[in-house]
Amino acid sequence: MAADAKGVPAGSAFGKPQPRIDGRAKVTGRALYPSDEAIPSPTYAFLLTSAIARGRVTRFDLDEALSMEGVLDILTYENVGGEAKPPEQMSGGQATTTLQSDRIWHDGQIIGIVVADSYEIAREAAFRVHVHYEQETPSATFGSPGVDEEVRKAGEHKDYHVGNAEAAFAAAEVKVDARYGTPTQHHNPIELFTTTCIWENGKLTIWEPSQFVYGLRGNVAKQLGMDLEDIRVISKFIGGAFGSKGGATARTAWIAVAARRVNRPVKLVATRDQGFTIATYRAETRHHVRLGAARDGRLTALRHEGWEVTSRPSEYNVSGTETTARLYACPNILTKVNIVHADRNTPGFMRAPPDTPYMFPLECAMDELAAQLGMDPIELRRINDTQTDPVTGLPFSSRNLMTCFDRGAERFGWADRDPRPGSMQDGDWLVGWGCASAAYPANIAATAARVTLRPSGHARVQIAGHDIGTGAYTVVAIMAADRLGLDAGQISVEMGDTALPPASLAAGSSHTATVTHAVAKACNELRDRIARAAVASNEGALAGCDPSSLTFSASRLIAPDGASESLEEALKRITPGALEAYAENIPKGLKPDAMANLYQGKPPMSRGHGREDVTAYAFGAQFVEVRVHRRTCEIRVPRMAGAFAAGRIVNPLTAHSQYMGGMIWGLGAALLEVTEIDPRHARYVNDNIAEYHIPVNADVCQVDVIMVPEEDSEVNPLGVKGIGEIGIVGVNAAIANAVWHATGRRIRALPIRIEDLL
Ligand code: MOS
């Protein structure tokens, strides 16, 4: 309807705080996560994983394990190697291979699968398999002997060259030239990595927590050489993902193979420690940042080079220079990303995949520049703010970075900050205040949706989207309620199943923008048909009205003069049954083949920094107070504030939680989180959630979230930018900058620990 073109939803549900429609199911245990599915006569798988990081398997002794009662099968490369290809990665290239050959690529690689009548027997049998290896010396990470470094291949990644950054840096009046690092991190979703497979008449059903069921289906079809139509993937609820359940990993196809071999359903629930090596993680990064500026603070040169660890066979990388190159006005920009191959499992997305590790160095360097200039760090950002993408020259669809800084600074009380490091003290505590910018591209994908209006006036929405805990079911319900003039409680939503209309992945903060547009489109089609039927009927109250003038509200169709008819009555004018609409939405910037690609499992994503008309980003400003104990150097974070401008907020209630969760995660990333690697064995040491530290309630005090209103009709028709990632983006740097302000010490590698300050 006309209102959509202007990006103004006509209904009342959009933008109102709405409790989760699936909240009751979740707290009463009725929400079924994939491994909860009750399946007939299940068998249980236990993964055998490699005890070395590099080399090959020379022999398996399976006899002892196979002789145990209840053991049904043990898969190794020797008996199944040719049955499945390795999965393809979304970023291109292969994930590390597993049962295809005797080759060991990383510690904890899947080298066998034991299948038994019970989980306990499978686990015990796995311990009785004796594996013989030929071991080579592994290379663990940056600087290990034997790592291969390559400049990432062009075409896949754009290295930006604007002006002449080298010359401008050499000539700059004020310079920052510093190196930074971020560590290996693992998502550790509470729900473990699980896969359940059932074959029936040559058709395969997979229950697996997934951020992209169509993608998983497409990948498994290729791996097993099957038709897409013969595979169904179901993932209705997901107990945390954060990127770790986005791409296909090796286990899925092999569990399918196992189920085919034993001719019974097979269920795998991998252990917590196995989750560190059979799924993805955030690889460690290194950065070299050079900033040149004039005395007045204007940037004259920006050079950002990054290095990322990946596995031997994969070229996976996140490449956040796409954001850091375009954050500030600067006439001379040079970026470069290098990947470093080590004997490690293949990394993947993790919350705010590129921008969490890449914005940390830039936003610390900006703080260092402000200190050198004797300038307030917010003022430095104001001087370098821009409404034009400095790389492409395109306008930003909307950019309210400085509004975020102003609102955040006001809430935080930034004006009271004494800029001298170490100057603010409270007894034995050194107090530091730091800030940083946050940014995340506004991404949106092609997606379909089906909406059915029932005779009762209730509606059902079907879309193969994914609720990874963010509140996606509720967002879909809000959108349909808004368009149809219903309450969110009158909408039932089905998601997470390839039997439903194809939807793109829940990642890259794209899901809300993606699903709302498809749902709105299907609802608009319903509205149109119902409105036309209502005005065409001779006896109705709306006879002769202009159908496009009708509003849908409180289960009624209402004319501008106040005449109205109930939705149920209007529906009956078309059909005594249910009315259904199916719509596909291909956002601006994507080609018409987007839906076909999506169906195949390739996510058709229009990325905020890849468009030809505008550059579309959400922006934010983050503020942190740290207290560093004078004697023990313990670091506390009594308060954080984040202000974000991310277009229209569909559900402020769940949005608040997303922002807050992102900020708290940032606290953990800055001060606690690290996967420790034993460099001799290229092995993760703290592969459990006892030793992998994350913040608890006692670590998190005041967290203020400010949602800066923003209208943006350029980003997409509904003006939705997405919020899942941006909350974490600036926190690392804000904390490091606050630690400097408290202590005068610049800590440029995360996490910042007591020993860094002693
Ligand atoms: Mo998100 S880390 O892009 O799944």
Side-chain angles (χ1 to χ4, degrees):
M1 307 238 138
D4 286 333
K6 286 185 251 137
V8 182
S12 55
F14 202 96
K16 296 264 165 65
Q18 169 68 45
R20 290 166 193 259
I21 60 166
D22 52 336
R24 186 178 296 266
K26 280 186 167 164
V27 298
T28 55
R30 278 188 296 110
L32 290 188
Y33 293 77
S35 66
D36 297 335
E37 199 63 40
I39 49 171
S41 63
T43 68
Y44 298 86
F46 195 91
L47 299 175
L48 271 173
T49 53
S50 172
I52 67 166
R54 181 185 170 105
R56 56 187 207 89
V57 176
T58 53
R59 191 161 55 88
F60 288 102
D61 287 344
L62 303 179
D63 293 350
E64 187 187 341
L66 281 172
S67 69
M68 286 176 64
E69 200 181 322
V71 172
L72 301 169
D73 200 357
I74 301 176
L75 285 71
T76 71
Y77 80 92
E78 291 175 320
N79 55 37
V80 295
E83 290 184 42
K85 296 195 189 103
E88 285 172 15
Q89 287 205 290
M90 257 184 264
S91 56
Q94 280 182 357
T96 26
T97 57
T98 55
L99 302 187
Q100 281 83 13
S101 77
D102 59 355
R103 187 86 169 86
I104 305 292
W105 297 96
H106 64 88
D107 179 67
Q109 174 185 318
I110 301 170
I111 56 170
I113 299 171
V114 180
V115 184
D117 279 326
S118 78
Y119 175 80
E120 290 73 18
I121 294 170
R123 182 178 57 186
E124 180 62 21
F127 293 141
R128 297 192 194 195
V129 171
H130 305 287
V131 187
H132 302 265
Y133 301 96
E134 188 179 283
Q135 191 168 352
E136 296 166 31
T137 307
S139 312
T141 181
F142 296 123
S144 300
V147 294
D148 300 330
E149 183 175 326
E150 63 178 80
V151 177
R152 193 174 145 192
K153 291 171 187 68
E156 217 190 299
H157 169 70
K158 289 190 226 62
D159 286 336
Y160 295 124
H161 295 265
V162 179
N164 186 339
E166 305 282 8
F169 181 76
E173 291 173 329
V174 186
K175 300 179 194 192
V176 172
D177 185 339
R179 292 177 183 271
Y180 302 85
T182 66
T184 312
Q185 298 171 343
H186 278 78
H187 319 72
N188 280 305
I190 293 299
E191 180 197 31
L192 296 165
F193 297 96
T194 80
T195 301
T196 301
C197 289
I198 299 186
W199 291 89
E200 274 167 316
N201 307 319
K203 292 188 192 285
L204 171 65
T205 304
I206 301 167
W207 282 271
E208 178 172 313
S210 170
Q211 294 170 249
F212 188 23
V213 288
Y214 270 82
L216 184 57
R217 183 183 74 156
N219 220 316
V220 171
K222 269 194 209 152
Q223 290 178 261
L224 297 178
M226 292 175 63
D227 289 337
L228 291 169
E229 291 69 27
D230 291 339
I231 302 177
R232 180 177 177 192
V233 177
I234 304 175
S235 177
K236 290 181 184 163
F237 290 95
I238 300 144
F242 320 113
S244 68
K245 293 161 182 169
T249 56
R251 73 183 191 274
T252 315
W254 291 119
I255 296 301
V257 169
R260 191 162 57 193
R261 279 167 67 99
V262 300
N263 200 24
R264 278 170 66 186
V266 175
K267 177 183 283 197
L268 167 74
V269 178
T271 60
R272 175 63 61 188
D273 61 309
Q274 288 172 343
F276 277 71
T277 60
I278 66 159
T280 61
Y281 61 100
R282 194 195 308 274
E284 57 273 39
T285 65
R286 287 185 176 178
H287 305 265
H288 184 194
V289 177
R290 287 176 175 169
L291 298 179
R295 289 254 169 251
D296 64 3
R298 277 179 302 109
L299 286 172
T300 55
L302 186 158
R303 192 180 182 289
H304 186 175
E305 183 167 8
W307 289 261
E308 304 181 22
V309 162
T310 189
S311 64
R312 293 282 180 190
S314 173
E315 283 166 22
Y316 180 84
N317 53 82
V318 290
S319 299
T321 48
E322 279 154 356
T323 294
T324 56
R326 36 173 55 91
L327 196 61
Y328 300 114
C330 182
N332 300 291
I333 300 166
L334 180 64
T335 69
K336 195 170 173 185
V337 172
N338 311 284
I339 54 181
V340 175
H341 295 283
D343 298 301
R344 297 275 298 282
N345 51 319
T346 303
F349 310 137
M350 185 163 156
R351 201 168 194 175
D355 299 318
T356 299
Y358 277 78
M359 285 282 278
F360 167 65
L362 177 65
E363 288 302 287
C364 289
M366 286 295 281
D367 202 71
E368 298 191 36
L369 181 61
Q372 274 198 50
L373 291 162
M375 185 179 281
D376 184 272
I378 299 177
E379 291 316 305
L380 178 62
R381 288 169 175 89
R382 198 183 313 278
I383 286 168
N384 290 290
D385 190 29
T386 174
Q387 293 296 323
T388 306
D389 180 331
V391 174
T392 59
L394 291 170
F396 284 102
S397 67
S398 59
R399 171 164 162 141
N400 288 297
L401 176 66
M402 294 321 299
T403 314
C404 293
F405 268 107
D406 292 339
R407 293 283 309 278
E410 193 188 340
R411 175 79 65 93
F412 189 81
W414 186 260
D416 297 333
R417 178 178 183 262
D418 182 334
R420 295 167 302 155
S423 62
M424 292 169 64
Q425 303 184 5
D426 183 3
D428 276 339
W429 294 91
L430 304 170
V431 178
W433 290 1
C435 68
S437 301
Y440 202 82
N443 303 320
I444 181 169
T447 280
R450 186 187 298 115
V451 180
T452 309
L453 188 61
R454 291 166 162 153
S456 62
H458 286 64
R460 179 183 66 183
V461 184
Q462 294 172 300
I463 180 168
H466 314 82
D467 196 327
I468 55 178
T470 50
Y473 277 106
T474 312
V475 155
V476 166
I478 287 171
M479 193 69 245
D482 183 89
R483 299 277 70 210
L484 299 174
L486 300 171
D487 285 335
Q490 290 171 284
I491 315 286
S492 63
V493 181
E494 295 174 16
M495 292 206 296
D497 186 340
T498 53
L500 300 170
S504 185
L505 77 167
S509 291
S510 64
H511 193 263
T512 296
T514 298
V515 298
T516 48
H517 282 86
V519 171
K521 210 167 165 183
C523 289
N524 285 351
E525 195 187 313
L526 285 178
R527 281 170 65 118
D528 215 37
R529 285 158 72 183
I530 294 166
R532 278 190 281 111
V535 302
S537 113
N538 290 328
E539 70 267 25
L542 300 172
C545 289
D546 171 5
S548 69
S549 74
L550 301 181
T551 50
F552 284 59
S553 177
S555 296
R556 296 191 78 74
L557 284 66
I558 305 164
D561 66 2
S564 73
E565 177 167 288
S566 80
L567 188 60
E568 277 179 73
E569 266 176 277
L571 175 62
K572 274 193 215 124
R573 299 192 190 286
I574 305 176
T575 169
L579 190 65
E580 180 183 298
Y582 172 88
E584 296 178 344
N585 187 58
I586 300 179
K588 210 170 176 179
L590 292 179
K591 301 202 176 76
D593 64 358
M595 288 309 299
N597 284 334
L598 174 59
Y599 190 78
Q600 304 279 329
K602 291 175 226 144
M605 183 86 83
S606 163
R607 301 175 74 197
H609 48 60
R611 288 169 57 160
E612 285 169 6
D613 53 345
V614 290
T615 294
Y617 265 82
F619 291 94
Q622 302 193 291
F623 295 82
V624 171
E625 176 175 321
V626 302
R627 291 181 170 232
V628 181
H629 195 273
R630 190 186 302 281
R631 276 175 260 283
T632 66
C633 294
E634 182 187 2
I635 308 168
R636 305 296 302 170
V637 180
R639 61 196 186 101
M640 299 194 276
F644 306 96
R648 283 178 164 259
I649 301 301
V650 184
N651 186 358
L653 194 62
T654 46
H656 186 273
S657 301
Q658 284 299 302
Y659 283 135
M660 204 178 191
M663 289 164 70
I664 292 168
W665 197 332
L667 191 170
L671 299 177
L672 300 167
E673 264 193 81
V674 55
T675 307
E676 304 283 2
I677 306 166
D678 180 338
R680 294 163 302 175
H681 303 291
R683 178 179 299 158
Y684 302 134
V685 176
N686 54 338
D687 54 355
N688 55 74
I689 47 178
E691 293 167 297
Y692 186 95
H693 293 164
I694 58 170
V696 297
N697 273 327
D699 297 311
V700 183
C701 302
Q702 189 181 331
V703 182
D704 283 331
V705 174
I706 302 153
M707 295 188 231
V708 174
E710 184 174 72
E711 300 272 335
D712 184 339
S713 55
E714 297 296 322
V715 61
N716 50 51
L718 290 167
V720 172
K721 283 184 174 176
I723 56 159
E725 327 256 8
I726 192 172
I728 188 176
V729 170
V731 182
N732 283 321
I735 288 182
N737 296 340
V739 167
W740 169 78
H741 183 235
T743 64
R745 306 277 297 275
R746 288 284 179 194
I747 310 299
R748 300 188 182 91
L750 298 176
I752 301 170
R753 293 188 267 208
I754 287 172
E755 51 267 41
D756 294 319
L757 298 175
L758 287 174

